[in-house]
Amino acid sequence: MARIGIIGLEGRMGQALVAAIAAAGHVSAGGVDQGGDLAALAAASDVLVDFSAPAALEANLDAAMAAGVAIVVGTTGLEERHHFLCDAAAETIPVLQTGNTALGVTLLAHLVREAASRLGDDWDIEIAETHHRMKVDAPSGTALLLGEAAAGGRGISLAEHSARGRDGITGARRQGDIGFASLRGGTVAGDHSVLFFGDSERITLSHTAESRSIFAHGAVRAAAWLVGRAPGRYAMGEVLGL
């Protein structure tokens, strides 16, 4: 039974986490929002779960390190410097950072990596994602996670083989690129599809999120798994033993 503290309590994910913690039989150590006593929350917790905002990540990691507790970072829209911050914190505490905590997406990323590693680069890879109208970042953290899985399967850098925002006369598709398309509208919790296009055939691997509760349940499972681990950088795949 883990004591789980929530960073971003009043947000949509924060409220879903409260219910997921209770359903899993763990203990809620409370939660904070902007201006709250983060140090006190960290001291009362075995592990923190952060679904706040990129601008708050450095302070959240500092609080976790000061208290010597693990942290799950589910905040999306992170930049390269945020990953450096996670790397630095992981030298002191266990850090699990992911673009998606859903267990189904974790397995999907594993399947995408497998498919990309076994199909040649003459197969074109495109990632399509749909989210609610209020989402502020694109591509989604999950789409980028899937893109990294595909790039990892091929042994290439996503940054060097990423195609986004096609508009106008763009020319023919460059072989080996991983394309992204983002749709926004309504109240969609999250739809993701990775399409592999070969000559005269196509493979589609998809995941549909019907409720935000799946992200909360996955985050709670990850948090409980992370308690007691050695300092280091961890991923959702390890939670499932992948």
Side-chain angles (χ1 to χ4, degrees):
M1 186 166 57
R3 297 175 300 162
I4 302 174
I6 303 169
I7 303 175
L9 179 63
E10 296 302 322
R12 289 186 292 258
M13 276 303 302
Q15 294 304 298
L17 281 166
V18 171
I21 290 169
H26 296 295
V27 175
S28 173
V32 297
D33 291 287
Q34 187 174 9
D37 192 341
L38 184 55
L41 176 66
S45 305
D46 296 319
V47 57
L48 298 171
V49 178
D50 179 15
F51 278 96
S52 56
L57 180 60
E58 185 169 8
N60 298 340
L61 291 171
D62 286 345
M65 286 188 287
V69 299
I71 186 169
V72 174
V73 178
T75 302
T76 59
L78 301 184
E79 300 174 355
E80 187 175 17
R81 70 180 187 88
H82 296 118
H83 292 285
F84 287 135
L85 291 172
C86 288
D87 289 340
E91 296 179 5
T92 304
I93 59 172
V95 177
L96 191 156
Q97 180 276 321
T98 180
N100 192 302
T101 54
L103 301 181
V105 168
T106 300
L107 182 57
L108 174 62
H110 177 74
L111 296 174
V112 167
R113 178 183 290 269
E114 280 290 303
S117 70
R118 296 175 186 278
L119 300 173
D121 64 3
D122 55 327
W123 285 69
D124 302 321
I125 302 177
E126 293 284 320
I127 300 172
E129 54 101 349
T130 304
H131 281 86
H132 54 89
R133 65 172 68 93
M134 302 303 292
K135 187 167 179 61
V136 298
D137 57 308
S140 68
T142 303
L144 294 173
L145 180 154
L146 295 171
E148 290 288 359
R154 283 190 169 172
I156 61 175
S157 165
L158 180 62
E160 296 175 2
H161 294 83
S162 179
R164 307 185 193 179
R166 299 184 182 106
D167 184 46
I169 301 174
T170 61
R173 190 187 197 284
R174 191 176 66 173
Q175 184 171 344
D177 273 356
I178 297 172
F180 291 86
S182 299
L183 290 77
R184 297 289 179 266
T187 58
V188 180
D191 292 348
H192 294 85
S193 292
V194 182
L195 300 96
F196 295 83
F197 295 92
D199 290 340
S200 303
E201 58 182 328
R202 180 170 70 230
I203 299 170
T204 303
L205 299 174
S206 299
H207 178 272
T208 298
E210 298 180 355
S211 166
R212 288 188 183 84
S213 65
I214 65 170
F215 309 121
H217 287 295
V220 169
R221 180 162 169 178
W225 180 88
L226 198 60
V227 173
R229 301 282 169 181
R233 212 44 212 268
Y234 296 92
M236 282 297 298
E238 293 169 274
V239 178
L240 291 184
L242 299 176

